């Protein structure tokens, strides 16, 4: 081990003794940084499969969510998206890593292509990052997926979906996405990832663009359901 690595390990251990890792939900001491305590995890863990037909998402074969958009998850996502608290991504990424094989079965992970829902160029410049990448990219690559953060882009800046009703959301997002690199999408199984799903309008428009680029299938995984 190099002296730099040894020094970093020593510093991390010292900090853990002085400032023990705390659960982002309740503040209880936990085993590792970014981890949630068992009680909070049991309360917020709500994996489910959304009915894509009922939601008008014909271009998405399967859509999974892991938790609800409330409590500490909501607070962390708000800080990450609107207050530039980049560090708030780590506990959310930890939650994604808790999904087991049964909860993810059928998503075609290994060998597939992971594509995040993109921000507009304006919003990415304002924020400095795409929060979806911070939450999902490392985990997707650990599953054996190819991460493609520029394969799908926005044609235009759109009004934030949370400001609109169902009908306005659909009008706002129609035709907003296009595939920038169809050669990376054609004939591939795509996992579309996002932080929050509400009506599913954004996911459906992204999936439509991916299918138009020749995707073999599009499935979706979202952290939270509002």
């Amino acid at each position: 081990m190099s002296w730099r690595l040894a020094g970093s390990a020593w510093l991390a251990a010292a900090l853990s003794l002085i400032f023990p890792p705390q659960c982002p939900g309740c503040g209880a001491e936990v085993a590792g940084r970014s981890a949630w305590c068992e009680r909070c995890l049991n309360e917020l863990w709500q994996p489910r499969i959304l009915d894509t037909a009922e939601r008008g998402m014909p271009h998405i074969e399967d859509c999974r969510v892991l938790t609800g958009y409330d409590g500490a998850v909501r607070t962390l996502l708000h800080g990450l998206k609107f207050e530039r608290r980049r560090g708030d991504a780590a506990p959310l990424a930890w939650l994604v890593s808790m999904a087991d094989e049964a909860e993810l079965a059928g998503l075609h992970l290994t060998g597939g292509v992971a594509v995040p829902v993109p921000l507009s160029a304006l919003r990415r410049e304002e924020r400095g990052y795409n929060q979806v990448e911070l939450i999902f990219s490392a985990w997707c690559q650990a599953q054996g997926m190819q991460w493609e953060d520029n394969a799908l882009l926005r044609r235009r800046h759109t009004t934030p979906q949370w400001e609109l009703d169902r009908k306005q959301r659909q009008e706002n997002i129609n035709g907003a996405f296009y595939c920038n690199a169809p050669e990376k999408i054609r004939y591939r199984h795509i996992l579309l990832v996002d932080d929050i799903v509400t009506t599913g309008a954004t996911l459906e428009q992204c999936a439509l663009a991916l299918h138009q680029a020749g995707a073999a299938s599009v499935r979706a995984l979202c952290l939270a359901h509002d």
Side-chain angles (χ1 to χ4, degrees):
M1 180 183 290
S2 72
W3 67 268
R4 281 197 180 90
L5 290 176
S8 296
W10 179 87
L11 180 59
L15 287 173
S16 292
L17 288 174
I18 301 171
F19 306 106
Q22 294 182 320
C23 170
C26 67
E29 187 171 334
V30 290
R33 298 205 175 275
S34 304
W36 299 66
C37 72
E38 185 175 354
R39 182 177 67 83
C40 285
L41 183 60
N42 288 337
E43 288 179 357
L44 63 85
W45 195 248
Q46 303 167 18
R48 71 192 84 169
I49 300 175
L50 299 187
D51 188 331
T52 56
E54 180 181 279
R55 291 171 175 271
M57 300 158 68
H59 293 94
I60 298 180
E61 295 186 20
D62 191 339
C63 183
R64 315 285 178 93
V65 293
L66 301 177
T67 186
Y69 183 52
D70 50 26
V73 170
R74 185 185 187 104
T75 299
L76 288 167
L77 277 171
H78 190 279
L80 181 60
K81 294 173 71 170
F82 304 114
E83 299 173 21
R84 297 184 183 178
R85 294 208 306 261
R86 189 174 182 137
D88 285 358
L92 300 174
W94 187 91
L95 281 180
V96 173
S97 74
M98 289 296 99
D100 62 26
E101 291 182 5
E103 292 161 345
L104 299 172
L107 287 184
H108 288 239
L109 301 181
T110 304
V113 178
V115 177
V117 171
L119 299 178
S120 68
L122 175 61
R123 189 156 291 126
R124 177 139 195 168
E125 183 178 352
E126 290 174 344
R127 193 171 294 167
Y129 52 81
N130 183 347
Q131 74 282 351
V132 181
E133 181 175 355
L134 299 183
I135 295 169
F136 281 101
S137 63
W139 178 83
C140 286
Q141 291 174 81
Q143 308 310 304
M145 305 192 75
Q146 178 181 328
W147 180 263
E148 291 293 347
D149 59 349
N150 287 312
L152 193 65
L153 299 178
R154 287 190 185 238
R155 296 183 191 279
R156 62 181 188 275
H157 183 69
T158 56
T159 301
Q161 291 286 78
W162 58 268
E163 296 182 7
L164 308 172
D165 61 29
R166 180 178 288 270
K167 182 180 179 182
Q168 291 171 328
R169 288 179 187 217
Q170 188 62 59
E171 294 172 348
N172 180 53
I173 213 73
N174 274 347
F177 303 96
Y178 70 99
C179 186
N180 183 53
E183 71 280 1
K184 296 179 179 179
I185 300 301
R186 193 176 297 119
Y187 311 130
R188 305 294 299 275
H189 294 293
I190 309 300
L191 182 68
L192 184 63
V193 291
D194 203 2
D195 52 352
I196 306 168
V197 56
T198 304
T199 65
T202 299
L203 291 176
E204 169 59 18
Q205 286 297 308
C206 287
L208 174 59
L210 291 166
H211 272 290
Q212 289 172 339
S217 68
V218 180
R219 293 169 173 82
L221 177 63
C222 298
L223 174 66
H225 174 239
D226 186 6

